[in-house]
Amino acid sequence: SMRQKVFYDGINDMRALLCLENLIGRDATKALVNKHFGEITFEFLPESLEQLLNFRNDVNEQIANAVQC
């Protein structure tokens, strides 16, 4: 179902952020989130799908760079 697909994507995003946190630290990971979205609140909604995709691509790139070191 669509809910399962969205949930699956959310879990994968969470795992990627946890991986990044382990590689570069919590503060640097939070700074990356804030760079893309600003302060996250319960009222926050991303502006567009492109914003989300750019963020995830940046997370993936940061993970790849940290692993190569």
Side-chain angles (χ1 to χ4, degrees):
S1 77
M2 183 57 75
R3 271 188 212 156
Q4 289 173 324
K5 291 177 184 177
V6 171
F7 182 74
Y8 177 78
D9 287 344
I11 293 295
N12 283 332
D13 289 345
M14 184 184 74
R15 291 178 71 198
L17 287 169
L18 288 172
C19 176
L20 186 61
E21 180 184 7
N22 286 329
L23 292 168
I24 68 171
R26 185 175 191 91
D27 290 337
T29 301
K30 285 174 70 174
L32 181 66
V33 172
N34 290 336
K35 175 182 134 187
H36 282 271
F37 302 112
E39 184 73 23
I40 302 292
T41 67
F42 284 106
E43 291 84 27
F44 169 79
L45 289 174
E47 295 172 3
S48 67
L49 177 59
E50 186 174 298
Q51 183 185 24
L52 289 172
L53 293 175
N54 288 339
F55 171 66
R56 185 54 199 263
N57 287 335
D58 204 3
V59 169
N60 292 342
E61 186 177 306
Q62 292 282 334
I63 290 171
N65 289 341
V67 170
Q68 287 179 355
C69 293

